[in-house]
Amino acid sequence: MTDNAQENQPAGYLPDAVWQPKTVYGGQFASINRADSGARFEQALPVGKHPLQLYSQGTPNGQKVTILLEELLALGHEGAEYDAWLIDIFKGDQFGSGFVGINPNSKIPALVDHSMNPALPVFESGSIMVYLAERFGAFLPSEPRARSETFNWLMWQMGTAPFVGGGLGHFYAYAPIKIEYAIDRYAMETKRQLHVLDTHLASHEYLAGDRYTIADMAVWPWHPGSLFGVYGTHAFLAVEEYTHLMRWYHAIAARPAVARGRLVNRTSGAPGTTLRERHDAADFDALLK
C-alpha cells in the first residue's frame, strides 16, 4: 500500500483487505451493475418468423453481428434472414429470465438458431460471428494462412475492446467524475491500438490481407467506430491522424450492408439512424431512401 493515502481518490482511500460492494455507486450504470449474476425478473423472449433470432442493442458489439447478417443476405444467403429484438441494456433488459437463459453472462448480443432441433443459443459476439460464417460458408477463409489471420484479428478485437469500451469509454464518458490517471491510462492504450491497426493497414487492404472477412466486421464498429460515435473521443484521440486506418474505415462504411447493419437495434441518434427492431429487409426502406 502507498504511504501517501491523502493523495488518493477519495483522499485517504486504501483498498479493503476484502472487497465489499458499496451502498451507492455513481455513474450512468449505477442502478444496474452488481457483483452477482443470474436473472433478476421473469421476462420471456419474443420469437419472430425467421429461424435466426437476434437479441441485441446497436452498440459496437451488437453492430458486429447485424453487419455480418446483412452482408450474408447481400450475398444471397436467404437463410440468414433474421429478427432483431431490442435488449435495452440501459433499462436492464439483459437481466430478464429469457435472456439469461440463452446467455448466462447477461451481455448482448445473443442469437438463437431455430433451424436446429433443439434450438441452438449462441452468445459472445465473436462466437456468433464464427458460427454464422461457418454455417453459411462466407467471410471466413478456409485456406489455413488466411483463416489464421482472420482469427488473429478477430481475437485481437475481442481482447482490446475492454480497454476501449470498459476503460476509456467508461472513464471518459460515463464515470461520475473525471479521473486524470484513469483517462490517461486508457487513452494511451487506445492510441497504441489505433497505431497497431494503422501500421498493419499501411500494407494490407483488409485486416486478413486482400479479402474482407469477419475480422473487419468485428473491428470496424470499435476502431475507430466507437471513438466517433458512442464515446465521442475522436477529437480527443486525434483519430484522423491514422490515415491508413481511416482509408479502411471509410471503405467499409461505404458498403450498403454495413450501412444497414449499423442501424439495427439502435436506441439513440439522429433521425434516420435508428431502427429499434428489424424483422424484414423492408424495415430499412424509410431510413435508407
Side-chain angles (χ1 to χ4, degrees):
M1 295 298 179
T2 63
D3 294 327
N4 56 339
Q6 291 306 310
E7 298 179 8
N8 292 349
Q9 296 182 358
Y13 168 75
L14 290 172
D16 296 332
V18 177
W19 180 81
Q20 296 292 329
K22 305 296 188 296
T23 303
V24 177
Y25 289 95
Q28 187 165 355
F29 295 95
S31 63
I32 293 177
N33 291 334
R34 295 184 188 176
D36 57 357
S37 64
R40 300 179 187 175
F41 55 91
E42 292 295 319
Q43 182 174 314
L45 290 176
V47 179
K49 62 183 179 180
H50 302 298
L52 295 179
Q53 297 292 299
L54 180 68
Y55 304 92
S56 188
Q57 187 163 353
T59 67
N61 280 333
Q63 289 179 40
K64 288 191 271 184
V65 176
T66 50
I67 286 172
L68 173 55
L69 286 165
E70 291 298 328
E71 290 282 15
L72 289 167
L73 290 169
L75 278 184
H77 292 285
E78 296 180 359
E81 267 294 351
Y82 67 103
D83 291 274
W85 303 93
L86 175 64
I87 299 295
D88 194 330
I89 62 175
F90 295 95
K91 296 180 179 179
D93 291 349
Q94 66 272 36
F95 301 111
S97 58
F99 190 81
V100 175
I102 62 172
N103 183 0
N105 196 39
S106 295
K107 303 288 185 181
I108 61 95
L111 177 81
V112 180
D113 186 349
H114 289 270
S115 71
M116 306 290 285
N117 187 18
L120 176 65
V122 190
F123 66 91
E124 288 295 328
S125 58
S127 178
I128 296 171
M129 296 185 83
V130 172
Y131 175 76
L132 291 172
E134 291 186 333
R135 186 181 185 287
F136 293 101
F139 302 115
L140 179 58
S142 57
E143 186 273 320
R145 188 176 300 275
R147 184 178 179 86
S148 293
E149 191 76 345
T150 301
F151 274 111
N152 288 344
W153 287 104
L154 176 63
M155 299 307 162
W156 179 87
Q157 188 282 315
M158 299 294 288
T160 61
F163 283 94
V164 180
L168 178 64
H170 177 80
F171 287 108
Y172 186 90
Y174 297 131
I177 60 172
K178 302 300 183 189
I179 303 173
E180 182 180 15
Y181 172 81
I183 291 174
D184 283 351
R185 166 71 177 88
Y186 286 104
M188 180 179 294
E189 175 59 17
T190 302
K191 290 280 286 184
R192 190 189 70 81
Q193 293 170 13
L194 293 171
H195 190 262
V196 167
L197 287 169
D198 193 62
T199 302
H200 179 71
L201 290 166
S203 57
H204 298 81
E205 182 178 4
Y206 297 108
L207 291 175
D210 61 355
R211 67 186 79 185
Y212 176 60
T213 70
I214 57 173
D216 299 288
M217 300 177 210
V219 173
W220 184 86
W222 278 104
H223 294 84
S226 65
L227 307 179
F228 280 116
V230 179
Y231 306 124
T233 51
H234 57 287
F236 178 66
L237 296 175
V239 172
E240 298 285 351
E241 71 182 18
Y242 301 100
T243 56
H244 306 294
L245 173 60
M246 294 308 302
R247 182 271 307 163
W248 168 87
Y249 176 80
H250 289 303
I252 292 176
R255 296 178 67 92
V258 173
R260 292 190 296 273
R262 70 188 303 187
L263 303 181
V264 179
N265 295 143
R266 290 188 63 175
T267 58
S268 63
T273 65
T274 63
L275 185 65
R276 290 177 65 89
E277 292 185 355
R278 186 266 191 214
H279 303 288
D280 189 88
D283 294 340
F284 293 107
D285 290 348
L287 298 178
L288 297 174
K289 287 183 178 179

